[in-house]
PDB file of all heavy atoms in Angstrom:
ATOM      1  N   LYS A   8      19.294 118.185 -46.360  1.00  0.00           N
ATOM      2  CA  LYS A   8      19.785 116.886 -46.862  1.00  0.00           C
ATOM      3  C   LYS A   8      20.450 116.080 -45.742  1.00  0.00           C
ATOM      4  O   LYS A   8      21.645 115.752 -45.799  1.00  0.00           O
ATOM      5  CB  LYS A   8      20.751 117.087 -48.029  1.00  0.00           C
ATOM      6  CG  LYS A   8      20.124 117.718 -49.257  1.00  0.00           C
ATOM      7  CD  LYS A   8      21.134 117.902 -50.379  1.00  0.00           C
ATOM      8  CE  LYS A   8      20.478 118.413 -51.651  1.00  0.00           C
ATOM      9  NZ  LYS A   8      19.816 119.721 -51.470  1.00  0.00           N
ATOM     10  N   PRO A   9      19.693 115.712 -44.711  1.00  0.00           N
ATOM     11  CA  PRO A   9      20.282 115.023 -43.556  1.00  0.00           C
ATOM     12  C   PRO A   9      20.678 113.584 -43.876  1.00  0.00           C
ATOM     13  O   PRO A   9      20.155 112.969 -44.818  1.00  0.00           O
ATOM     14  CB  PRO A   9      19.140 115.046 -42.537  1.00  0.00           C
ATOM     15  CG  PRO A   9      17.906 115.001 -43.386  1.00  0.00           C
ATOM     16  CD  PRO A   9      18.235 115.863 -44.577  1.00  0.00           C
ATOM     17  N   ASP A  10      21.578 113.061 -43.074  1.00  0.00           N
ATOM     18  CA  ASP A  10      21.960 111.656 -43.167  1.00  0.00           C
ATOM     19  C   ASP A  10      20.968 110.770 -42.418  1.00  0.00           C
ATOM     20  O   ASP A  10      20.883 109.567 -42.699  1.00  0.00           O
ATOM     21  CB  ASP A  10      23.367 111.457 -42.598  1.00  0.00           C
ATOM     22  CG  ASP A  10      24.412 112.207 -43.414  1.00  0.00           C
ATOM     23  OD1 ASP A  10      24.770 111.713 -44.494  1.00  0.00           O
ATOM     24  OD2 ASP A  10      24.839 113.300 -42.975  1.00  0.00           O
ATOM     25  N   ALA A  11      20.244 111.346 -41.468  1.00  0.00           N
ATOM     26  CA  ALA A  11      19.243 110.609 -40.706  1.00  0.00           C
ATOM     27  C   ALA A  11      18.258 111.600 -40.103  1.00  0.00           C
ATOM     28  O   ALA A  11      18.538 112.805 -39.998  1.00  0.00           O
ATOM     29  CB  ALA A  11      19.893 109.760 -39.616  1.00  0.00           C
ATOM     30  N   ILE A  12      17.096 111.090 -39.711  1.00  0.00           N
ATOM     31  CA  ILE A  12      16.042 111.899 -39.093  1.00  0.00           C
ATOM     32  C   ILE A  12      15.557 111.176 -37.846  1.00  0.00           C
ATOM     33  O   ILE A  12      15.401 109.958 -37.843  1.00  0.00           O
ATOM     34  CB  ILE A  12      14.847 112.099 -40.047  1.00  0.00           C
ATOM     35  CG1 ILE A  12      15.280 112.815 -41.333  1.00  0.00           C
ATOM     36  CG2 ILE A  12      13.725 112.880 -39.361  1.00  0.00           C
ATOM     37  CD1 ILE A  12      14.213 112.820 -42.418  1.00  0.00           C
ATOM     38  N   MET A  13      15.307 111.933 -36.772  1.00  0.00           N
ATOM     39  CA  MET A  13      14.637 111.400 -35.596  1.00  0.00           C
ATOM     40  C   MET A  13      13.364 112.202 -35.373  1.00  0.00           C
ATOM     41  O   MET A  13      13.382 113.434 -35.444  1.00  0.00           O
ATOM     42  CB  MET A  13      15.528 111.475 -34.358  1.00  0.00           C
ATOM     43  CG  MET A  13      16.755 110.594 -34.430  1.00  0.00           C
ATOM     44  SD  MET A  13      17.700 110.586 -32.881  1.00  0.00           S
ATOM     45  CE  MET A  13      16.642 109.561 -31.859  1.00  0.00           C
ATOM     46  N   THR A  14      12.245 111.500 -35.132  1.00  0.00           N
ATOM     47  CA  THR A  14      10.983 112.171 -34.824  1.00  0.00           C
ATOM     48  C   THR A  14      10.611 111.887 -33.377  1.00  0.00           C
ATOM     49  O   THR A  14      10.855 110.787 -32.873  1.00  0.00           O
ATOM     50  CB  THR A  14       9.845 111.685 -35.741  1.00  0.00           C
ATOM     51  OG1 THR A  14       9.637 110.273 -35.553  1.00  0.00           O
ATOM     52  CG2 THR A  14      10.181 111.948 -37.208  1.00  0.00           C
ATOM     53  N   PHE A  15      10.030 112.883 -32.710  1.00  0.00           N
ATOM     54  CA  PHE A  15       9.681 112.758 -31.304  1.00  0.00           C
ATOM     55  C   PHE A  15       8.194 113.037 -31.116  1.00  0.00           C
ATOM     56  O   PHE A  15       7.757 114.181 -31.137  1.00  0.00           O
ATOM     57  CB  PHE A  15      10.533 113.697 -30.461  1.00  0.00           C
ATOM     58  CG  PHE A  15      11.990 113.320 -30.474  1.00  0.00           C
ATOM     59  CD1 PHE A  15      12.820 113.770 -31.472  1.00  0.00           C
ATOM     60  CD2 PHE A  15      12.495 112.469 -29.503  1.00  0.00           C
ATOM     61  CE1 PHE A  15      14.155 113.403 -31.511  1.00  0.00           C
ATOM     62  CE2 PHE A  15      13.833 112.095 -29.532  1.00  0.00           C
ATOM     63  CZ  PHE A  15      14.663 112.562 -30.534  1.00  0.00           C
ATOM     64  N   GLY A  16       7.417 111.959 -30.928  1.00  0.00           N
ATOM     65  CA  GLY A  16       5.975 112.075 -30.788  1.00  0.00           C
ATOM     66  C   GLY A  16       5.252 111.646 -32.043  1.00  0.00           C
ATOM     67  O   GLY A  16       5.798 111.681 -33.152  1.00  0.00           O
ATOM     68  N   ALA A  17       3.991 111.249 -31.874  1.00  0.00           N
ATOM     69  CA  ALA A  17       3.199 110.734 -32.992  1.00  0.00           C
ATOM     70  C   ALA A  17       3.006 111.769 -34.090  1.00  0.00           C
ATOM     71  O   ALA A  17       3.076 111.457 -35.287  1.00  0.00           O
ATOM     72  CB  ALA A  17       1.846 110.246 -32.473  1.00  0.00           C
ATOM     73  N   LEU A  18       2.751 113.014 -33.697  1.00  0.00           N
ATOM     74  CA  LEU A  18       2.507 114.048 -34.705  1.00  0.00           C
ATOM     75  C   LEU A  18       3.771 114.380 -35.493  1.00  0.00           C
ATOM     76  O   LEU A  18       3.700 114.695 -36.677  1.00  0.00           O
ATOM     77  CB  LEU A  18       1.940 115.306 -34.047  1.00  0.00           C
ATOM     78  CG  LEU A  18       0.529 115.181 -33.493  1.00  0.00           C
ATOM     79  CD1 LEU A  18       0.130 116.440 -32.732  1.00  0.00           C
ATOM     80  CD2 LEU A  18      -0.477 114.922 -34.621  1.00  0.00           C
ATOM     81  N   ALA A  19       4.921 114.303 -34.835  1.00  0.00           N
ATOM     82  CA  ALA A  19       6.182 114.533 -35.548  1.00  0.00           C
ATOM     83  C   ALA A  19       6.387 113.453 -36.603  1.00  0.00           C
ATOM     84  O   ALA A  19       6.813 113.734 -37.733  1.00  0.00           O
ATOM     85  CB  ALA A  19       7.345 114.557 -34.576  1.00  0.00           C
ATOM     86  N   LEU A  20       6.085 112.214 -36.252  1.00  0.00           N
ATOM     87  CA  LEU A  20       6.176 111.117 -37.215  1.00  0.00           C
ATOM     88  C   LEU A  20       5.216 111.339 -38.379  1.00  0.00           C
ATOM     89  O   LEU A  20       5.565 111.150 -39.546  1.00  0.00           O
ATOM     90  CB  LEU A  20       5.872 109.790 -36.524  1.00  0.00           C
ATOM     91  CG  LEU A  20       5.811 108.548 -37.417  1.00  0.00           C
ATOM     92  CD1 LEU A  20       7.143 108.300 -38.111  1.00  0.00           C
ATOM     93  CD2 LEU A  20       5.385 107.330 -36.593  1.00  0.00           C
ATOM     94  N   GLN A  21       3.993 111.779 -38.054  1.00  0.00           N
ATOM     95  CA  GLN A  21       2.980 111.981 -39.089  1.00  0.00           C
ATOM     96  C   GLN A  21       3.289 113.166 -40.000  1.00  0.00           C
ATOM     97  O   GLN A  21       2.694 113.287 -41.065  1.00  0.00           O
ATOM     98  CB  GLN A  21       1.606 112.145 -38.445  1.00  0.00           C
ATOM     99  CG  GLN A  21       1.087 110.852 -37.822  1.00  0.00           C
ATOM    100  CD  GLN A  21      -0.240 111.026 -37.137  1.00  0.00           C
ATOM    101  OE1 GLN A  21      -1.230 111.424 -37.749  1.00  0.00           O
ATOM    102  NE2 GLN A  21      -0.282 110.730 -35.842  1.00  0.00           N
ATOM    103  N   SER A  22       4.204 114.019 -39.582  1.00  0.00           N
ATOM    104  CA  SER A  22       4.613 115.098 -40.483  1.00  0.00           C
ATOM    105  C   SER A  22       5.386 114.548 -41.681  1.00  0.00           C
ATOM    106  O   SER A  22       5.533 115.221 -42.701  1.00  0.00           O
ATOM    107  CB  SER A  22       5.466 116.136 -39.744  1.00  0.00           C
ATOM    108  OG  SER A  22       6.755 115.614 -39.431  1.00  0.00           O
ATOM    109  N   LEU A  23       5.884 113.317 -41.541  1.00  0.00           N
ATOM    110  CA  LEU A  23       6.590 112.658 -42.642  1.00  0.00           C
ATOM    111  C   LEU A  23       5.717 111.602 -43.308  1.00  0.00           C
ATOM    112  O   LEU A  23       5.579 111.583 -44.537  1.00  0.00           O
ATOM    113  CB  LEU A  23       7.874 111.999 -42.132  1.00  0.00           C
ATOM    114  CG  LEU A  23       8.909 112.909 -41.469  1.00  0.00           C
ATOM    115  CD1 LEU A  23      10.121 112.087 -41.044  1.00  0.00           C
ATOM    116  CD2 LEU A  23       9.333 114.028 -42.417  1.00  0.00           C
ATOM    117  N   VAL A  24       5.169 110.707 -42.509  1.00  0.00           N
ATOM    118  CA  VAL A  24       4.347 109.612 -43.029  1.00  0.00           C
ATOM    119  C   VAL A  24       3.170 109.375 -42.099  1.00  0.00           C
ATOM    120  O   VAL A  24       3.302 109.495 -40.879  1.00  0.00           O
ATOM    121  CB  VAL A  24       5.162 108.309 -43.175  1.00  0.00           C
ATOM    122  CG1 VAL A  24       6.223 108.450 -44.253  1.00  0.00           C
ATOM    123  CG2 VAL A  24       5.805 107.910 -41.854  1.00  0.00           C
ATOM    124  N   GLU A  25       2.036 109.042 -42.657  1.00  0.00           N
ATOM    125  CA  GLU A  25       0.852 108.714 -41.866  1.00  0.00           C
ATOM    126  C   GLU A  25       0.558 107.224 -41.999  1.00  0.00           C
ATOM    127  O   GLU A  25       1.069 106.548 -42.888  1.00  0.00           O
ATOM    128  CB  GLU A  25      -0.349 109.558 -42.318  1.00  0.00           C
ATOM    129  CG  GLU A  25      -0.157 111.042 -42.071  1.00  0.00           C
ATOM    130  CD  GLU A  25      -1.420 111.860 -42.360  1.00  0.00           C
ATOM    131  OE1 GLU A  25      -2.527 111.328 -42.156  1.00  0.00           O
ATOM    132  OE2 GLU A  25      -1.284 113.018 -42.796  1.00  0.00           O
ATOM    133  N   GLY A  26      -0.260 106.731 -41.094  1.00  0.00           N
ATOM    134  CA  GLY A  26      -0.653 105.330 -41.170  1.00  0.00           C
ATOM    135  C   GLY A  26       0.199 104.384 -40.355  1.00  0.00           C
ATOM    136  O   GLY A  26       0.015 103.172 -40.406  1.00  0.00           O
ATOM    137  N   HIS A  27       1.149 104.933 -39.577  1.00  0.00           N
ATOM    138  CA  HIS A  27       1.995 104.107 -38.723  1.00  0.00           C
ATOM    139  C   HIS A  27       1.658 104.360 -37.264  1.00  0.00           C
ATOM    140  O   HIS A  27       1.389 105.489 -36.869  1.00  0.00           O
ATOM    141  CB  HIS A  27       3.476 104.415 -38.947  1.00  0.00           C
ATOM    142  CG  HIS A  27       3.992 104.009 -40.292  1.00  0.00           C
ATOM    143  ND1 HIS A  27       4.371 102.720 -40.582  1.00  0.00           N
ATOM    144  CD2 HIS A  27       4.191 104.730 -41.419  1.00  0.00           C
ATOM    145  CE1 HIS A  27       4.780 102.651 -41.838  1.00  0.00           C
ATOM    146  NE2 HIS A  27       4.688 103.862 -42.371  1.00  0.00           N
ATOM    147  N   LYS A  28       1.681 103.319 -36.447  1.00  0.00           N
ATOM    148  CA  LYS A  28       1.460 103.456 -35.017  1.00  0.00           C
ATOM    149  C   LYS A  28       2.808 103.676 -34.334  1.00  0.00           C
ATOM    150  O   LYS A  28       3.714 102.845 -34.453  1.00  0.00           O
ATOM    151  CB  LYS A  28       0.778 102.206 -34.462  1.00  0.00           C
ATOM    152  CG  LYS A  28       0.307 102.356 -33.024  1.00  0.00           C
ATOM    153  CD  LYS A  28      -0.497 101.129 -32.592  1.00  0.00           C
ATOM    154  CE  LYS A  28      -1.000 101.305 -31.160  1.00  0.00           C
ATOM    155  NZ  LYS A  28      -1.777 100.119 -30.723  1.00  0.00           N
ATOM    156  N   LEU A  29       2.942 104.775 -33.616  1.00  0.00           N
ATOM    157  CA  LEU A  29       4.226 105.143 -33.020  1.00  0.00           C
ATOM    158  C   LEU A  29       4.782 104.048 -32.119  1.00  0.00           C
ATOM    159  O   LEU A  29       5.964 103.715 -32.194  1.00  0.00           O
ATOM    160  CB  LEU A  29       4.084 106.452 -32.234  1.00  0.00           C
ATOM    161  CG  LEU A  29       5.337 106.912 -31.478  1.00  0.00           C
ATOM    162  CD1 LEU A  29       6.476 107.211 -32.445  1.00  0.00           C
ATOM    163  CD2 LEU A  29       5.028 108.135 -30.616  1.00  0.00           C
ATOM    164  N   THR A  30       3.932 103.472 -31.259  1.00  0.00           N
ATOM    165  CA  THR A  30       4.428 102.508 -30.282  1.00  0.00           C
ATOM    166  C   THR A  30       5.047 101.274 -30.931  1.00  0.00           C
ATOM    167  O   THR A  30       5.891 100.617 -30.335  1.00  0.00           O
ATOM    168  CB  THR A  30       3.298 102.068 -29.334  1.00  0.00           C
ATOM    169  OG1 THR A  30       2.171 101.618 -30.116  1.00  0.00           O
ATOM    170  CG2 THR A  30       2.862 103.213 -28.440  1.00  0.00           C
ATOM    171  N   SER A  31       4.630 100.964 -32.151  1.00  0.00           N
ATOM    172  CA  SER A  31       5.187  99.794 -32.834  1.00  0.00           C
ATOM    173  C   SER A  31       6.507 100.109 -33.527  1.00  0.00           C
ATOM    174  O   SER A  31       7.200  99.200 -33.987  1.00  0.00           O
ATOM    175  CB  SER A  31       4.180  99.257 -33.862  1.00  0.00           C
ATOM    176  OG  SER A  31       3.996 100.178 -34.928  1.00  0.00           O
ATOM    177  N   LEU A  32       6.866 101.400 -33.602  1.00  0.00           N
ATOM    178  CA  LEU A  32       8.070 101.795 -34.324  1.00  0.00           C
ATOM    179  C   LEU A  32       9.200 102.276 -33.426  1.00  0.00           C
ATOM    180  O   LEU A  32      10.349 102.360 -33.858  1.00  0.00           O
ATOM    181  CB  LEU A  32       7.737 102.909 -35.324  1.00  0.00           C
ATOM    182  CG  LEU A  32       6.832 102.526 -36.496  1.00  0.00           C
ATOM    183  CD1 LEU A  32       6.559 103.748 -37.372  1.00  0.00           C
ATOM    184  CD2 LEU A  32       7.449 101.412 -37.326  1.00  0.00           C
ATOM    185  N   VAL A  33       8.885 102.629 -32.173  1.00  0.00           N
ATOM    186  CA  VAL A  33       9.924 103.123 -31.267  1.00  0.00           C
ATOM    187  C   VAL A  33      11.003 102.053 -31.076  1.00  0.00           C
ATOM    188  O   VAL A  33      10.703 100.894 -30.802  1.00  0.00           O
ATOM    189  CB  VAL A  33       9.338 103.517 -29.898  1.00  0.00           C
ATOM    190  CG1 VAL A  33      10.443 103.803 -28.883  1.00  0.00           C
ATOM    191  CG2 VAL A  33       8.441 104.731 -30.052  1.00  0.00           C
ATOM    192  N   GLY A  34      12.252 102.446 -31.259  1.00  0.00           N
ATOM    193  CA  GLY A  34      13.355 101.502 -31.185  1.00  0.00           C
ATOM    194  C   GLY A  34      13.692 100.879 -32.519  1.00  0.00           C
ATOM    195  O   GLY A  34      14.665 100.139 -32.635  1.00  0.00           O
ATOM    196  N   GLY A  35      12.911 101.192 -33.549  1.00  0.00           N
ATOM    197  CA  GLY A  35      13.165 100.697 -34.892  1.00  0.00           C
ATOM    198  C   GLY A  35      13.342 101.853 -35.859  1.00  0.00           C
ATOM    199  O   GLY A  35      13.613 102.980 -35.452  1.00  0.00           O
ATOM    200  N   SER A  36      13.173 101.580 -37.131  1.00  0.00           N
ATOM    201  CA  SER A  36      13.342 102.642 -38.123  1.00  0.00           C
ATOM    202  C   SER A  36      12.493 102.376 -39.354  1.00  0.00           C
ATOM    203  O   SER A  36      12.084 101.237 -39.614  1.00  0.00           O
ATOM    204  CB  SER A  36      14.815 102.771 -38.532  1.00  0.00           C
ATOM    205  OG  SER A  36      15.249 101.604 -39.228  1.00  0.00           O
ATOM    206  N   ILE A  37      12.199 103.449 -40.074  1.00  0.00           N
ATOM    207  CA  ILE A  37      11.566 103.383 -41.383  1.00  0.00           C
ATOM    208  C   ILE A  37      12.402 104.279 -42.302  1.00  0.00           C
ATOM    209  O   ILE A  37      13.432 104.805 -41.891  1.00  0.00           O
ATOM    210  CB  ILE A  37      10.097 103.870 -41.338  1.00  0.00           C
ATOM    211  CG1 ILE A  37      10.015 105.317 -40.792  1.00  0.00           C
ATOM    212  CG2 ILE A  37       9.248 102.942 -40.484  1.00  0.00           C
ATOM    213  CD1 ILE A  37       8.605 105.898 -40.843  1.00  0.00           C
ATOM    214  N   THR A  38      11.990 104.431 -43.541  1.00  0.00           N
ATOM    215  CA  THR A  38      12.713 105.326 -44.441  1.00  0.00           C
ATOM    216  C   THR A  38      11.771 106.385 -45.001  1.00  0.00           C
ATOM    217  O   THR A  38      10.570 106.152 -45.161  1.00  0.00           O
ATOM    218  CB  THR A  38      13.365 104.568 -45.610  1.00  0.00           C
ATOM    219  OG1 THR A  38      12.350 103.871 -46.356  1.00  0.00           O
ATOM    220  CG2 THR A  38      14.406 103.585 -45.106  1.00  0.00           C
ATOM    221  N   TYR A  39      12.344 107.538 -45.281  1.00  0.00           N
ATOM    222  CA  TYR A  39      11.616 108.647 -45.904  1.00  0.00           C
ATOM    223  C   TYR A  39      12.479 109.134 -47.060  1.00  0.00           C
ATOM    224  O   TYR A  39      13.546 109.703 -46.839  1.00  0.00           O
ATOM    225  CB  TYR A  39      11.375 109.758 -44.885  1.00  0.00           C
ATOM    226  CG  TYR A  39      10.747 111.007 -45.467  1.00  0.00           C
ATOM    227  CD1 TYR A  39       9.379 111.075 -45.698  1.00  0.00           C
ATOM    228  CD2 TYR A  39      11.535 112.116 -45.794  1.00  0.00           C
ATOM    229  CE1 TYR A  39       8.802 112.221 -46.229  1.00  0.00           C
ATOM    230  CE2 TYR A  39      10.965 113.262 -46.326  1.00  0.00           C
ATOM    231  CZ  TYR A  39       9.594 113.305 -46.550  1.00  0.00           C
ATOM    232  OH  TYR A  39       9.031 114.442 -47.087  1.00  0.00           O
ATOM    233  N   HIS A  40      12.036 108.861 -48.266  1.00  0.00           N
ATOM    234  CA  HIS A  40      12.805 109.216 -49.460  1.00  0.00           C
ATOM    235  C   HIS A  40      14.263 108.744 -49.353  1.00  0.00           C
ATOM    236  O   HIS A  40      15.198 109.477 -49.688  1.00  0.00           O
ATOM    237  CB  HIS A  40      12.746 110.722 -49.710  1.00  0.00           C
ATOM    238  CG  HIS A  40      11.368 111.231 -50.013  1.00  0.00           C
ATOM    239  ND1 HIS A  40      10.616 110.769 -51.069  1.00  0.00           N
ATOM    240  CD2 HIS A  40      10.606 112.157 -49.382  1.00  0.00           C
ATOM    241  CE1 HIS A  40       9.439 111.399 -51.086  1.00  0.00           C
ATOM    242  NE2 HIS A  40       9.402 112.231 -50.072  1.00  0.00           N
TER     243      HIS A  40
END
């Protein structure tokens, strides 16, 4: 039950959500549940 999550690399991001381009999200944020 973390307060925040950081993903490192495209595959780490895809372990949560697919369909996003990593380079467009670095330096920003999305939400997961």
Side-chain angles (χ1 to χ4, degrees):
K8 296 180 175 60
D10 296 283
I12 300 170
M13 294 186 74
T14 61
F15 294 86
L18 291 174
L20 175 61
Q21 290 178 59
S22 71
L23 301 181
V24 293
E25 295 187 32
H27 292 278
K28 189 174 182 180
L29 176 63
T30 53
S31 67
L32 293 178
V33 170
S36 66
I37 57 175
T38 59
Y39 174 80
H40 296 302

